[in-house]
Amino acid sequence: FIRGLPVSARPVSTITRRKKLVRRNTLASAMSGAAMVAILAGIIGVSLFAVRADEARDEAELRAEAAEFFVQETEYANQIARVSGNISQEFMAEDQGVDEADFRAFLIEKATEAQSVYAENPEAFSAQMLFVARYLSNRGNYAQSSEFAGFLIANGQTPEVGVQTGRVIQARNLRELGDRRAAEEILRDTLAWMAAKPYLLESSGYAQVAVNLALSTQDKADLDEAVRANLEQATKPGADKALRAYNYNTLAVLTSKMQDYEKTIEYGIKSIEFSKEADRINAVSVNTRSLNLVGYILHYKKDVALAKSYWPSEEDVMDPEKGHLRHRSMHRLYEAYALQIQGDHAAAYEKAKLAH
């Protein structure tokens, strides 16, 4: 300072004071540090436990919601089946006969009546309108079908499963009318709407919508998502055998589109196994799936012996209670194909004529 040089001395910093305090009181400082570490560890542990508890509670709530929605889906499907039976009985009771045009007009009348009193019982009347919308769509009356489906989608009282089913019907109608892009947009919007609600994301309804979109677009990402969703449903613990059979059959169709033929046959076999074990699947459905599997094996593996192990008997196919005309033609066609694989072209030609 006297020589005019910069002064390097400074007040002792807080950090330096703390260091000197620790050196002077080594034992006390060590004990204080250990206590602080213990407190900090306790705070972190409690926080992690709270986070895990929250996660467990969220997961439990999600599973409860998913289980509740599954019950709702099942009951809704049963309700639609009951509606179908009730409407058919009512129509026959009025001695209307079985004229297709009269029955269609009768259904439209019932659905129109349901619209006017919808608020009284949305669950029952939405099931009734969905049955009518689906019936009209299957019979090519797409405009009228879309009108009823659109009413259900727009009405805030419609159960979620009814909204989802209505959207699928509406998309199908648009696709059949040639507007594939609009149909796919509806299906994508439906998947996004369901994905925003985790319990819907895990539902069989989500898997069905994903299948509709994948089969329409044939896009790999859409096919992968449909396979994932249906495989999740098929392998879900405690799942109904009839639903498992349906999901595995769907997986066989999807993987055939993806040209993963080994998986196609694997899933087809599982579908047949669950179909035969399920109480709610009739013989006609079993025969349909069996013939589909036979076709997959013959086309993709050329293995006649393996195909024959799943081939329905001719008696079953010819029985009107177990088979129908399409079954009989498929049966003959696959017999022709098997003979062709074995090199007997003359016999194959005769079977093909029968199929034709």
Side-chain angles (χ1 to χ4, degrees):
F1 174 77
I2 293 171
R3 292 186 333 191
L5 297 174
V7 178
S8 60
R10 294 286 185 273
V12 179
S13 67
T14 303
I15 293 174
T16 303
R17 284 199 187 96
R18 296 284 163 80
K19 287 179 179 178
K20 290 182 177 181
L21 178 64
V22 169
R23 288 194 198 105
R24 289 198 305 271
N25 303 279
T26 307
L27 181 60
S29 297
M31 291 176 67
S32 298
M36 288 185 69
V37 169
I39 291 169
L40 184 60
I43 292 171
I44 292 171
V46 169
S47 300
L48 286 174
F49 179 79
V51 169
R52 286 173 183 161
D54 286 343
E55 288 175 349
R57 186 168 58 251
D58 290 344
E59 185 176 346
E61 288 175 357
L62 171 59
R63 294 195 179 282
E65 287 175 336
E68 184 181 341
F69 187 75
F70 176 75
V71 171
Q72 186 188 115
E73 275 189 310
T74 305
E75 174 54 30
Y76 208 70
N78 293 336
Q79 193 159 8
I80 291 174
R82 288 195 297 272
V83 165
S84 168
N86 292 341
I87 288 179
S88 299
Q89 286 177 3
E90 184 180 343
F91 179 76
M92 298 303 290
E94 293 180 4
D95 294 325
Q96 298 278 354
V98 290
D99 182 76
E100 169 70 20
D102 287 345
F103 187 55
R104 185 167 59 246
F106 179 76
L107 290 179
I108 292 172
E109 181 185 335
K110 298 298 292 183
T112 304
E113 287 175 6
Q115 282 181 308
S116 62
V117 291
Y118 191 78
E120 294 177 11
N121 192 343
E123 186 170 317
F125 287 126
S126 64
Q128 181 173 311
M129 290 177 69
L130 278 174
F131 166 69
V132 175
R134 186 180 290 163
Y135 180 90
L136 293 172
S137 179
N138 289 340
R139 297 303 186 280
N141 195 338
Y142 304 121
Q144 189 77 63
S145 171
S146 291
E147 181 183 326
F148 292 132
F151 174 87
L152 294 171
I153 294 166
N155 193 297
Q157 295 177 298
T158 303
E160 287 172 323
V161 63
V163 173
Q164 169 239 308
T165 308
R167 289 184 176 191
V168 170
I169 292 172
Q170 203 169 52
R172 182 198 173 181
N173 292 338
L174 286 167
R175 187 172 63 248
E176 294 297 330
L177 289 168
D179 197 346
R180 184 177 292 272
R181 180 173 295 180
E184 290 169 2
E185 283 179 6
I186 287 178
L187 293 172
R188 286 198 191 282
D189 288 346
T190 304
L191 287 178
W193 169 69
M194 298 182 83
K197 302 181 178 186
Y199 61 95
L200 291 180
L201 181 62
E202 293 189 2
S203 69
S204 61
Y206 179 90
Q208 291 169 19
V209 177
V211 169
N212 276 274
L213 179 62
L215 294 178
S216 179
T217 64
Q218 301 285 306
D219 178 76
K220 185 180 184 306
D222 292 335
L223 287 164
D224 285 342
E225 176 60 11
V227 167
R228 183 205 65 76
N230 278 272
L231 191 57
E232 184 178 274
Q233 292 298 315
T235 56
K236 188 178 287 185
D240 180 81
K241 288 181 179 178
L243 290 176
R244 284 191 173 189
Y246 167 80
N247 289 123
Y248 277 121
N249 186 60
T250 302
L251 285 164
V253 174
L254 291 169
T255 49
S256 72
K257 300 292 183 185
M258 301 166 78
Q259 299 184 356
D260 187 351
Y261 303 130
E262 290 298 327
K263 284 291 184 184
T264 298
I265 294 168
E266 177 190 334
Y267 293 142
I269 290 171
K270 287 185 177 179
S271 176
I272 299 302
E273 290 171 351
F274 281 113
S275 294
K276 290 179 177 177
E277 293 175 12
D279 298 327
R280 296 191 294 110
I281 295 182
N282 60 33
V284 175
S285 294
V286 174
N287 281 337
T288 299
R289 291 170 185 177
S290 296
L291 285 167
N292 287 340
L293 176 59
V294 167
Y296 293 142
I297 294 170
L298 291 176
H299 281 288
Y300 307 139
K301 291 184 79 75
K302 305 289 191 290
D303 189 334
V304 176
L306 179 61
K308 284 185 175 178
S309 65
Y310 295 100
W311 215 309
S313 69
E314 185 158 348
E315 291 75 18
D316 282 351
V317 172
M318 298 302 289
D319 185 342
E321 297 294 321
K322 299 179 180 179
H324 47 62
L325 187 59
R326 178 171 171 269
H327 286 158
R328 291 194 280 278
S329 68
M330 287 174 68
H331 193 272
R332 297 284 184 258
L333 183 64
Y334 291 151
E335 281 182 324
Y337 192 43
L339 288 165
Q340 183 183 340
I341 291 170
Q342 292 171 325
D344 192 344
H345 300 292
Y349 176 70
E350 294 302 319
K351 289 289 184 183
K353 283 202 299 184
L354 282 174
H356 181 71

